[in-house]
Amino acid sequence: AWDFRRFMALKRAKLGETPVFYISAKPSKLRFGQFARQSELNAAIRQMAVSSKDLIFIDVVTPMLRDGQPQDLYVEDGLHMNAAGYAIWRRLVREALAKKRIDKLRCTN
């Protein structure tokens, strides 16, 4: 989480209040042995987001688990998501962008 704090400080110095959308570390089948460590990281960044207007935490963990285990949202390697996994992410990211009213913005350059 220290590196992420440093990243946010550098971002603020260069880009001010430009929002950062953090998609939580996902619970994959292949790396489920790292889930406790990922959960610690996610908790630390979620806590940072609570007190930061420019950091938005997107929880993909909760909808990707069933009974504490990763759902069948992965291709054969157990790491990369299939279409159903990306559909979850797409919905959550769109909701987060809409909440910040960024979903309607377009680049003009």
Side-chain angles (χ1 to χ4, degrees), residues 9-78:
L10 291 169
K11 188 278 305 177
R12 288 176 182 132
K14 295 284 185 185
L15 302 173
E17 293 298 312
T18 301
V20 170
F21 291 81
Y22 176 83
I23 299 173
S24 61
K26 71 177 173 23
S28 66
K29 290 181 175 185
L30 180 67
R31 298 203 175 125
F32 201 64
Q34 299 174 7
F35 184 66
R37 193 164 179 219
Q38 290 174 337
S39 296
E40 290 174 18
L41 172 67
N42 287 337
I45 294 176
R46 183 191 298 262
Q47 188 59 42
M48 283 185 240
V50 168
S51 60
S52 303
K53 293 188 326 188
D54 60 339
L55 176 57
I56 298 88
F57 182 88
I58 301 174
D59 175 23
V60 298
V61 175
T62 303
M64 293 183 78
L65 293 178
R66 179 172 294 134
D67 298 324
Q69 296 294 314
Q71 293 187 54
D72 189 24
L73 301 170
Y74 300 90
V75 296
E76 300 79 33
D77 67 5

Side-chain angles (χ1 to χ4, degrees), residues 72-90:
D72 189 24
L73 301 170
Y74 300 90
V75 296
E76 300 79 33
D77 67 5
L79 179 62
H80 297 92
M81 295 185 300
N82 61 25
Y86 282 111
I88 291 170
W89 280 35
R90 186 171 42 253

